Amino acid sequence: MKFCSNCGATVELRIPPGDSLPRHVCANCGSIHYVNPKIVVGAIPEWEDRILLCRRAIEPRHGFWTLPAGFMENAETTAQAAARETLEEACARIEVGEIFTLINVPHISQVHIVYRARLLDLDFGPGEESLEVGLFAEHEIPWDEIAFRTIALTLRHYFDDRRHGTFCFRTSDLALPPPVGTA
């Protein structure tokens, strides 16, 4: 950030009085600009023993599979975000259930929340951000083509819980991945 969104003057990175972290502070009007984590919200749309996945038509991870998910918008709840993202990416209507996973991804300043959801009908198809969408049983999941570690972790928890006959809320912190070529 270089300029104040309130008055247009230059901002400087410093610790404001009463705070403990560096913030962008306007040198002219004194406005403090907070940069906070982004919230990514998605759903596991269920139909019988299968779940709905989307093949990404956008970067990052173009061509890889994921659950319908994306950045939460202002003035919506997390459940509304999950339903909206599912409609946008898979043209699918869902009944949002309970939160299943909450995964902190601090190295990219994101929090990922995924709900369980019931697919309301089989009227779905790729939205603008998807190349294709499909229903997958566990043995059909393209594990080597899952776009994001948070989604792979969520899917593994989902299928483990389903095998055990009970679903529980899961939370975890995702560490920075090791550099390529290291063990």
Side-chain angles (χ1 to χ4, degrees):
M1 174 178 270
K2 294 184 181 193
F3 302 102
C4 178
S5 59
N6 292 326
C7 74
T10 303
V11 296
E12 53 191 39
L13 191 61
R14 64 180 169 87
I15 299 173
D19 205 333
S20 60
L21 297 173
R23 310 287 183 187
H24 292 97
V25 180
C26 180
N28 183 54
C29 72
S31 291
I32 301 170
H33 300 277
Y34 296 90
V35 179
N36 300 106
K38 300 287 186 190
I39 300 173
V40 174
V41 184
I44 305 170
E46 304 166 345
W47 184 266
E48 297 172 351
D49 70 334
R50 299 175 293 165
I51 61 165
L52 186 69
L53 294 178
C54 305
R55 187 185 292 265
R56 292 177 59 82
I58 59 172
E59 293 295 347
R61 310 290 286 160
H62 180 276
F64 284 80
W65 291 93
T66 189
L67 292 167
F71 292 108
M72 186 174 175
E73 298 291 346
N74 290 330
E76 71 180 351
T77 67
T78 54
Q80 289 168 336
R84 177 186 51 75
E85 286 291 342
T86 303
L87 186 61
E88 287 178 3
E89 296 184 5
C91 302
R93 296 178 321 112
I94 59 171
E95 178 184 308
V96 178
E98 68 276 356
I99 293 177
F100 182 62
T101 56
L102 185 150
I103 303 172
N104 297 298
V105 194
H107 62 277
I108 56 172
S109 299
Q110 293 181 0
V111 177
H112 294 201
I113 300 169
V114 179
Y115 283 84
R116 287 186 60 210
R118 186 175 65 84
L119 195 57
L120 294 178
D121 53 51
L122 295 177
D123 184 21
F124 60 81
E128 287 189 32
E129 296 181 0
S130 299
L131 297 170
E132 62 181 303
V133 296
L135 288 171
F136 292 82
E138 181 178 7
H139 70 278
E140 299 169 324
I141 300 290
W143 291 105
D144 292 339
E145 297 176 45
I146 298 298
F148 306 106
R149 292 188 305 148
T150 54
I151 299 303
L153 181 60
T154 294
L155 291 174
R156 291 187 197 290
H157 285 318
Y158 173 83
F159 289 115
D160 284 346
D161 283 3
R162 192 169 78 180
R163 271 190 295 283
H164 291 99
T166 183
F167 290 92
C168 62
F169 172 69
R170 309 281 188 135
T171 183
S172 58
D173 299 331
L174 202 60
L176 185 65
V180 176
T182 63

